[in-house]
Amino acid sequence: MQLITILLVAVAILTLLSGISVMAGVSKKQRINGIWFFVATIFGAVWSISMAIFLNLPINTPDTTASAIAFTIYASVILADVALLGYICWHYRFGKICTLLFLAAGIVIADVILHNPELMYNGIILSREGNQLDLNYGWFFMIVLSFFGMITTAFTGFLIYRILHAHDRGERVGHTVFLIGLSVSGVFSLLFDMIQIVPSLTWLGPLVMSIVILSFYYAILRYRILHVSSFWLKALSYVNVIASTTILYMIIFFVIFAALFHAQSPSATVILLNFIMIFIVLLLMPVISEFNASIRSLLSVNKVDLAYVIKKLNRIAPRNANLKELAGFLAEHLHFNYIGFIINGRLYSSDNTSLSNEEIKAISALKPNEHGVWQTPNAAVTKIFIDENINAVAELRNAKGQVFGQILVGNPAGKKHFERHDLVQLEMIINIVANVVYSSKRTGK
């Protein structure tokens, strides 16, 4: 039961975070869709949490408290369904009418359950084997069942209409995912929550519904169904990743614990310790990830990790890098024995290699290459390169195409000569390097 509780609470948190993300970042034009989706996530989360509370009610719980929790379960699922319907069809005139009618009907049904719960269930059974409702399969139950059947039909109809009339492939695919998810969720809710063919599995309804909402949230981001600002995506994505990882970790932990110790569930102390440990690990994940990426880039001698190098260069640029440190970084991660910059008659190199003023002037005087950044050394410069183990020289140009310096490149690590792909890889990032160096040059670093 502890695992089920953790799952329900965890998906509730994730569902609510997805709603906050959409609501906070959606454009003004789509604000009403964001509001409906946010409301749906609120009541979806309430459904999951109230179900978790209900399943854990002790045997001596007062009837009024148990009835209040049962009412919260029914009311939240009704309002979550209405909000999802509002998201799907609110921008249609008939959709507005349909949503308001279902909202009115849902409020009436919830009010009847609140004041006359005996019409919905005969009583609440609290036991060590599991808590459940003793449903009253009478006329009111059939009305509630019809309500959910009709709102499911409305979901399906409006979603199919939107899919068929979608102009964008992403919107069509995203809403198809939503349609399939709602269909699966509807079946689970009907069988396990309404009819209760297996009373001990009533928690499957809110769990599947929350997963459907989370899946559609991913579809919203993946297929740009709603345009959510990047700020809120970045702000909440890491939180969602942490929560998702925690859920997966706890599931694995409970499975392994049960297999090793043949116990129903671990103690509260063990659970708390695991939460603290996973929290610490997740907080350290950015540092661990950065360290692993750096080590992987350094060890890949025969292949440059361009993604890592470019990411680091983009981080360096705003901070105005020290040119000698930048040369050292490029030499290490591009796997060259030497990298140097010639800026305003000064040399900034990755090692202790030094060139005289005359040698620097000779290199700076090389003719520009009209067809690329790489320059062709003359006889004098070729002799300098042979003496200093330098293989190539390229121009550094600012955003306006003006040459302000040069980059010197030594031998590829573990090789005697340049290969074509070495030049291609280096040329791919030469413009980024030029921007970094140019910004550093202007600040005198």
Side-chain angles (χ1 to χ4, degrees), residues 170-318:
E171 180 182 354
R172 185 162 55 250
V173 174
H175 281 128
T176 300
V177 171
F178 196 27
L179 175 61
I180 295 172
L182 285 177
S183 300
V184 174
S185 174
V187 171
F188 272 82
S189 298
L190 173 66
L191 295 178
F192 297 105
D193 288 84
M194 288 301 300
I195 301 176
Q196 292 190 7
I197 58 172
V198 182
S200 61
L201 296 180
T202 53
W203 53 272
L204 281 175
L207 181 65
V208 174
M209 172 62 83
S210 296
I211 293 174
V212 168
I213 293 176
L214 290 172
S215 299
F216 184 59
Y217 171 67
Y218 169 78
I220 287 175
L221 306 182
R222 172 66 176 80
Y223 300 107
R224 299 293 191 270
I225 298 173
L226 296 178
H227 300 289
V228 183
S229 71
S230 58
F231 171 80
W232 287 103
L233 288 181
K234 293 177 181 178
L236 293 174
S237 290
Y238 188 61
V239 177
N240 284 334
V241 169
I242 288 179
S244 300
T245 305
T246 303
I247 294 172
L248 180 60
Y249 170 82
M250 292 308 298
I251 292 173
I252 296 173
F253 166 72
F254 269 86
V255 171
I256 295 176
F257 188 92
L260 291 179
F261 301 102
H262 306 287
Q264 184 178 5
S265 59
S267 65
T269 304
V270 174
I271 294 175
L272 178 60
L273 177 62
N274 272 271
F275 267 115
I276 294 174
M277 292 305 298
I278 190 62
F279 181 72
I280 293 173
V281 170
L282 289 173
L283 286 180
L284 293 175
M285 279 302 294
V287 178
I288 297 172
S289 177
E290 181 69 20
F291 178 75
N292 286 338
S294 178
I295 295 299
R296 185 173 61 250
S297 177
L298 288 171
L299 295 178
S300 302
V301 177
N302 295 321
K303 183 180 179 182
V304 176
D305 190 344
L306 288 176
Y308 175 78
V309 174
I310 292 173
K311 181 181 72 172
K312 291 293 290 184
L313 288 175
N314 286 332
R315 289 181 181 177
I316 291 171

Side-chain angles (χ1 to χ4, degrees), residues 342-345 359-367 375 381 406:
I342 295 179
I343 309 291
N344 292 334
E359 290 174 331
I360 292 175
K361 288 179 181 179
I363 297 172
S364 301
L366 290 175
K367 294 181 179 180
Q375 295 176 285
V381 172
Q406 293 162 295

Side-chain angles (χ1 to χ4, degrees), residues 372-420:
V373 296
W374 298 104
Q375 295 176 285
T376 302
N378 54 32
V381 172
T382 299
K383 183 179 183 305
I384 297 171
F385 282 6
I386 293 174
D387 293 340
E388 301 294 342
N389 292 319
I390 298 173
N391 261 298
V393 58
E395 297 173 328
L396 294 174
R397 300 170 181 169
N398 60 23
K400 296 180 180 180
Q402 299 169 334
V403 177
F404 66 87
Q406 293 162 295
I407 180 171
L408 307 177
V409 182
N411 293 318
K415 302 178 184 179
K416 293 183 178 180
H417 303 288
F418 263 128
E419 295 178 9
R420 178 173 175 79

Side-chain angles (χ1 to χ4, degrees), residues 130-149:
N131 302 335
Q132 65 183 79
L133 296 175
D134 180 16
L135 294 176
N136 179 2
Y137 297 100
W139 62 270
F140 182 71
F141 178 85
M142 298 307 298
I143 289 177
V144 176
L145 196 62
S146 300
F147 170 83
F148 285 112

